[in-house]
Amino acid sequence: MLILLLAIPILHRSPAFEDFIIRLSAMALFATSLNLLVGTTGMVSFGHGMFYGFGAYAFGLTMQLTELSLPVAALFAVALTTIAALVVGAICVRLSTDYFAFITLAVQMLFFSVIVSWQSLTGGDQGLRGGIPRRHIFGFDLGSQLHLYQFCAIVAVLGLLALRHVSMSPFGNTLRMIRDNAERAGFVGIILWRARLLAFTIAGGFAGMGGVLAALFVSGAYPELADWPNSGQAIFAVMLGGINSFLGPVLGATILLAMNDLVQRFTEYHGLVLGVVILAFALGLRRGVLDFIHLVWSKRAR
């Protein structure tokens, strides 16, 4: 897949396609990291967008306020986001499923309020001012759209491979056991809150990585990246693509972004149209697209 993505611009340049893949790279990491909580662990977080926005702001501020190189600033932003996820997760993961969803949303709204209120640092509701310097990295001139496209595609594919490794590892199987029967998992000696906290922290770190790519694309950071509708988009992507398939969130993010771009060309009521389309998916398939395909394929194989 990575080779195909890198080869496409060599055969045919399309700025619209490159923009789409850059945005998809950020969204795919964001939605897939959320599915580590929702699909693998059974923890529905309504506040995951907080870490997406945190990564974007941490990266943008680091690039503006320091002379650190871009890779170091990106790693620093992801590390800060991971620590933030660890702190927030330590508060949330011991709560029951309903209150977990509620408290994650509440913490996200608190974080959003801090961004809007702290104008001297974050620029308030106008976002970071002055843009982000797109410095060279490993031969990539990120001021070039082509190089930014290649860089984002590489980071997204490597990030997704790392998330897949986590999901397929013995730790991933432990999370599925917790999702399916937490009581039994506790009986066999698994410390539930510790496994959930680790999953929450890892998911937050990868969401922050997606936020770094988003900040590079828009050359800044804006409160909308950390607002609750952004979390809703990630949940839509997960539900659309399928929570039981690793690539489900990637497919869901692709469908969601494509529909957004397409519908906005024809009507200003794109939110209404998207809601109807998503409702049709939910009522028609009653599961995500890849989950539906897997179900049909399994029935035919019997």
Side-chain angles (χ1 to χ4, degrees):
M1 177 58 74
L2 179 58
I3 294 173
L4 177 64
L5 285 173
L6 295 180
I8 288 174
I10 299 173
L11 302 174
H12 176 67
R13 288 292 307 274
S14 168
F17 175 76
E18 290 168 7
D19 272 0
F20 182 83
I21 293 299
I22 293 169
R23 288 184 288 133
L24 178 60
S25 298
M27 188 71 183
L29 282 173
F30 179 32
T32 306
S33 67
L34 175 62
N35 199 38
L36 183 67
L37 299 179
V38 178
T40 308
T41 318
M43 302 162 65
V44 180
S45 171
F46 289 155
H48 203 56
M50 167 176 48
F51 303 116
Y52 189 70
F54 195 104
Y57 271 93
F59 176 68
L61 287 169
T62 303
M63 290 294 285
Q64 284 189 346
L65 302 177
T66 73
E67 294 297 325
L68 291 175
S69 65
L70 193 147
V72 175
L75 290 174
F76 181 66
V78 173
L80 274 183
T81 312
T82 304
I83 293 170
L86 176 64
V87 173
V88 174
I91 300 170
C92 301
V93 298
R94 292 175 186 267
L95 300 174
S96 64
T97 303
D98 295 341
Y99 282 98
F100 171 79
F102 175 76
I103 197 69
T104 53
L105 178 60
V107 175
Q108 175 174 23
M109 294 175 72
L110 175 65
F111 179 64
F112 178 79
S113 299
V114 170
I115 290 175
V116 173
S117 305
W118 200 349
Q119 293 193 8
S120 59
L121 181 68
T122 66
D125 55 5
Q126 299 299 311
L128 285 181
R129 298 188 180 93
I132 295 174
R134 291 177 176 174
R135 300 166 185 156
H136 290 247
I137 170 175
F138 304 133
F140 290 95
D141 173 12
L142 297 188
S144 154
Q145 185 190 34
L146 175 61
H147 285 191
L148 182 61
Y149 161 86
Q150 293 167 333
F151 176 75
C152 289
I154 291 171
V155 171
V157 170
L158 293 180
L160 290 173
L161 286 174
L163 273 170
R164 187 179 184 282
H165 179 72
V166 172
S167 179
M168 296 295 114
S169 68
F171 174 66
N173 291 330
T174 300
L175 297 180
R176 289 186 191 86
M177 183 186 293
I178 292 173
R179 176 197 65 192
D180 295 337
N181 194 327
E183 191 174 351
R184 179 176 295 177
F187 283 148
V188 300
I190 297 171
I191 302 174
L192 300 182
W193 70 265
R194 193 162 66 188
R196 285 171 171 157
L197 178 58
L198 185 54
F200 193 90
T201 305
I202 293 171
F206 279 96
M209 187 183 294
V212 169
L213 298 187
L216 273 172
F217 175 65
V218 299
S219 192
Y222 301 92
E224 291 78 11
L225 296 175
D227 203 0
W228 67 266
N230 209 25
S231 294
Q233 288 218 21
I235 291 174
F236 278 147
V238 170
M239 300 306 292
L240 266 175
I243 64 173
N244 295 316
S245 305
F246 178 77
L247 290 178
V250 179
L251 177 63
T254 306
I255 296 172
L256 196 63
L257 288 178
M259 284 199 305
N260 258 319
D261 291 352
L262 186 64
V263 172
Q264 281 182 354
R265 293 185 182 182
F266 299 103
T267 175
E268 59 183 294
Y269 302 108
H270 61 277
L272 177 63
V273 176
L274 285 177
V276 172
V277 172
I278 290 168
L279 196 60
F281 267 100
L283 295 178
L285 303 183
R286 299 189 178 185
R287 52 184 52 80
V289 175
L290 285 185
D291 288 348
F292 179 77
I293 292 172
H294 180 70
L295 178 66
V296 172
W297 187 269
S298 300
K299 285 183 178 178
R300 288 185 176 180
R302 291 173 188 168

